[in-house]
Amino acid sequence: MLRRMLRVLLSSVLLTVGLASASVVASAPAHADSCYTWGRSLSEGMAGDDVAQLQIRVAGYPGYGDALAIDGDFGPATAAAVSRFQAAYGLTADGIAGPQTFGQIYALQSPDCTPLHFSYGEMNQCNGDWSGGAVDPATAQYNELKTMWKLEALRHALGDYPITITDGFRSSSCNDDVGGVPDSRHLYGDAADMVPSGYSLCSLAQEARYHGFQGIFGPGFPGHDTHVHVDSEDYQNWSAPDCGI
Ligand code: ZN
């Protein structure tokens, strides 16, 4: 009798140890992501490059009319953006980036760090090498990376219907070829022209106001009746008169 009780007790101890180690494994980083792997949970008051990497990926969730600074400092605006990202994907919206949040980001990012539904190729239909714009090639490419993460948020908010990018970064000669304005944001690589499927251009332009785009031009603005332009210039500049913007 005693031996049997001991055996039951021992097996339940082993089971408990097994469960405990399983939960430790589950709360560690989900896997070594081939783009970027976070090594700690991040919350308000923390700082570092890992915070900046997180900010790039939640910059599409700043709230209406706002833009999130990619500065490596986890302040209240970053916490709010993390909460909105979490809510958008059905996670607990606590503003703390831990295993669940990072797991969602890993599921969304490609090995080259672009979000799942956008690519460097479609953001560079000009000369392919990011040169000849208003900033150095690395900056232009980095700016389009940040733009793509905002676009991923915009796309998700509108039901994950496909969005077709018709233009992104332009060199000066590409900008001249398409008749772009002299100081077009396309020269900086922080702009995208796009056409949605599944909903209207106006729905796209209206929703873009919630996802970190300081520049929005759409139907009713000269030259923008067949696409919506978004960018990340320093000040808010929105015009789509046919959409009430
Ligand atoms: Zn444009």
Side-chain angles (χ1 to χ4, degrees):
M1 184 66 186
L2 186 62
R3 286 182 62 166
R4 184 168 176 273
M5 279 177 65
L6 273 174
R7 215 166 45 232
V8 169
L9 186 65
L10 185 63
S11 63
S12 78
V13 166
L14 286 173
L15 186 65
T16 306
V17 169
L19 285 173
S21 61
S23 72
V24 166
V25 168
S27 64
H31 58 291
D33 188 77
S34 50
C35 159
Y36 185 86
T37 303
W38 283 270
R40 58 174 181 165
S41 290
L42 297 173
S43 56
E44 202 168 331
M46 298 174 83
D49 183 60
D50 50 1
V51 174
Q53 291 291 331
L54 173 66
Q55 288 171 326
I56 290 169
R57 289 156 180 82
V58 298
Y61 295 90
Y64 181 88
D66 272 332
L68 183 68
I70 313 297
D71 58 7
D73 288 325
F74 198 128
T78 300
V82 169
S83 286
R84 291 189 194 95
F85 173 85
Q86 291 167 327
Y89 287 97
L91 306 177
T92 303
D94 59 5
I96 298 167
Q100 277 199 323
T101 301
F102 295 139
Q104 184 60 56
I105 292 173
Y106 297 145
L108 279 175
Q109 69 186 1
S110 300
D112 67 356
C113 299
T114 59
L116 207 51
H117 300 102
F118 297 92
S119 70
Y120 282 124
E122 67 188 324
M123 305 308 292
N124 188 341
Q125 302 178 29
C126 168
N127 58 11
D129 70 0
W130 307 97
S131 66
V135 291
D136 65 86
T139 300
Q141 187 173 7
Y142 175 58
N143 286 344
E144 285 297 14
L145 176 68
K146 291 186 287 185
T147 300
M148 282 186 270
W149 279 99
K150 295 180 186 179
L151 291 174
E152 187 72 30
L154 173 62
R155 185 186 189 279
H156 186 61
L158 286 163
D160 277 318
Y161 290 94
I163 291 175
T164 301
I165 302 299
T166 56
D167 207 358
F169 169 75
R170 294 175 196 154
S171 68
S172 295
S173 61
C174 288
N175 194 51
D176 291 346
D177 288 347
V178 298
V181 295
D183 199 35
S184 168
R185 294 308 303 184
H186 290 278
L187 295 164
Y188 296 82
D190 65 19
D193 294 340
M194 56 192 169
V195 176
S197 57
Y199 50 82
S200 69
L201 286 171
C202 280
S203 294
L204 188 60
Q206 288 159 353
E207 183 62 30
R209 298 174 296 180
Y210 293 86
H211 298 285
F213 296 109
Q214 295 287 77
I216 303 171
F217 300 104
F221 185 80
H224 290 70
D225 285 343
T226 58
H227 72 278
V228 171
H229 164 108
V230 291
D231 66 52
S232 299
E233 57 192 319
D234 295 334
Y235 57 96
Q236 195 175 95
N237 190 10
W238 296 346
S239 183
D242 293 355
C243 308
I245 299 171

Coordinates of all heavy atoms in Angstrom, one line a residue, residues 166-168 170 184-186 191-194 217 224 227-231, ligand 1:
T166 N 1.6 49.9 -56.7 CA 1.9 50.3 -58.1 C 3.2 51.1 -58.2 O 3.7 51.2 -59.3 CB 0.7 51.1 -58.7 OG1 0.5 52.2 -57.8 CG2 -0.5 50.2 -58.7
D167 N 3.7 51.7 -57.1 CA 5.0 52.4 -57.1 C 5.5 52.6 -55.7 O 4.7 52.7 -54.7 CB 4.8 53.8 -57.8 CG 6.1 54.3 -58.4 OD1 7.1 53.6 -58.3 OD2 6.0 55.4 -59.0
G168 N 6.8 52.6 -55.5 CA 7.4 52.9 -54.2 C 8.5 53.8 -54.4 O 8.3 55.0 -54.8
R170 N 11.6 55.9 -55.9 CA 12.0 56.3 -57.2 C 13.3 57.0 -57.1 O 13.5 57.9 -56.2 CB 11.0 57.4 -57.8 CG 9.6 56.8 -58.0 CD 8.7 58.0 -58.5 NE 7.3 57.6 -58.4 CZ 6.3 58.5 -58.2 NH1 6.6 59.8 -58.1 NH2 5.0 58.1 -58.2
S184 N 9.2 64.8 -54.4 CA 8.3 63.7 -54.1 C 8.9 62.8 -53.0 O 10.1 62.6 -52.9 CB 8.1 62.8 -55.3 OG 7.5 61.6 -55.0
R185 N 8.0 62.4 -52.1 CA 8.4 61.5 -51.0 C 8.9 60.1 -51.6 O 9.6 59.4 -50.9 CB 7.3 61.2 -50.0 CG 6.9 62.4 -49.2 CD 8.0 63.1 -48.5 NE 8.8 62.3 -47.6 CZ 9.8 62.8 -46.9 NH1 10.2 64.1 -47.0 NH2 10.5 62.0 -46.1
H186 N 8.5 59.8 -52.8 CA 9.0 58.6 -53.5 C 10.6 58.6 -53.6 O 11.2 57.6 -53.6 CB 8.4 58.4 -54.8 CG 6.9 58.1 -54.8 ND1 6.5 56.8 -54.6 CD2 5.8 58.9 -54.9 CE1 5.1 56.8 -54.6 NE2 4.7 58.1 -54.8
A191 N 7.4 56.3 -49.4 CA 6.1 56.5 -50.0 C 5.7 55.2 -50.7 O 6.5 54.4 -51.1 CB 6.1 57.6 -51.0
A192 N 4.3 55.0 -50.9 CA 3.8 53.9 -51.6 C 2.5 54.4 -52.3 O 1.7 55.2 -51.8 CB 3.5 52.8 -50.8
D193 N 2.4 54.0 -53.6 CA 1.1 54.2 -54.3 C 0.5 52.8 -54.4 O 1.2 51.8 -54.6 CB 1.4 54.7 -55.7 CG 2.0 56.1 -55.8 OD1 1.8 56.8 -54.7 OD2 2.6 56.4 -56.8
M194 N -0.9 52.8 -54.2 CA -1.5 51.4 -54.1 C -2.9 51.4 -54.5 O -3.6 52.5 -54.6 CB -1.4 50.9 -52.7 CG -1.9 51.9 -51.7 SD -1.5 51.4 -50.0 CE -2.0 52.8 -49.1
F217 N -2.8 61.0 -50.0 CA -3.4 61.6 -51.2 C -4.3 60.6 -51.9 O -3.8 59.5 -52.2 CB -2.4 62.3 -52.1 CG -1.6 63.3 -51.4 CD1 -0.3 63.1 -51.1 CD2 -2.1 64.6 -51.1 CE1 0.5 64.0 -50.4 CE2 -1.4 65.5 -50.4 CZ -0.1 65.3 -50.1
H224 N -4.7 61.6 -58.4 CA -4.8 60.5 -57.5 C -6.2 59.9 -57.5 O -6.7 59.4 -56.4 CB -4.4 61.0 -56.1 CG -3.0 61.2 -55.9 ND1 -2.3 62.3 -56.5 CD2 -2.0 60.5 -55.3 CE1 -1.0 62.2 -56.3 NE2 -0.8 61.2 -55.5
H227 N -5.5 55.8 -57.6 CA -4.7 55.1 -56.6 C -4.7 56.0 -55.3 O -5.1 57.1 -55.4 CB -3.3 54.8 -57.1 CG -2.4 56.1 -57.2 ND1 -2.5 56.9 -58.3 CD2 -1.5 56.6 -56.4 CE1 -1.6 57.9 -58.1 NE2 -1.0 57.8 -56.9
V228 N -4.2 55.4 -54.3 CA -4.0 56.1 -53.0 C -2.5 56.2 -52.8 O -1.8 55.2 -52.9 CB -4.7 55.5 -51.8 CG1 -4.2 56.2 -50.5 CG2 -6.2 55.6 -52.0
H229 N -2.0 57.4 -52.5 CA -0.6 57.6 -52.1 C -0.5 57.8 -50.6 O -1.2 58.5 -50.0 CB 0.0 58.8 -52.8 CG 1.3 59.4 -52.3 ND1 2.5 59.2 -52.9 CD2 1.5 60.0 -51.1 CE1 3.4 59.8 -52.2 NE2 2.9 60.3 -51.1
V230 N 0.5 57.1 -50.0 CA 0.8 57.3 -48.5 C 2.3 57.5 -48.4 O 3.1 57.0 -49.2 CB 0.4 56.1 -47.6 CG1 -1.2 56.0 -47.6 CG2 1.0 54.8 -48.1
D231 N 2.6 58.3 -47.4 CA 4.1 58.5 -47.1 C 4.3 58.9 -45.7 O 3.3 59.0 -44.9 CB 4.7 59.6 -48.1 CG 4.1 61.0 -47.9 OD1 4.1 61.5 -46.7 OD2 3.7 61.6 -48.9
Ligands
ZN1 ZN 2.8 58.6 -54.8

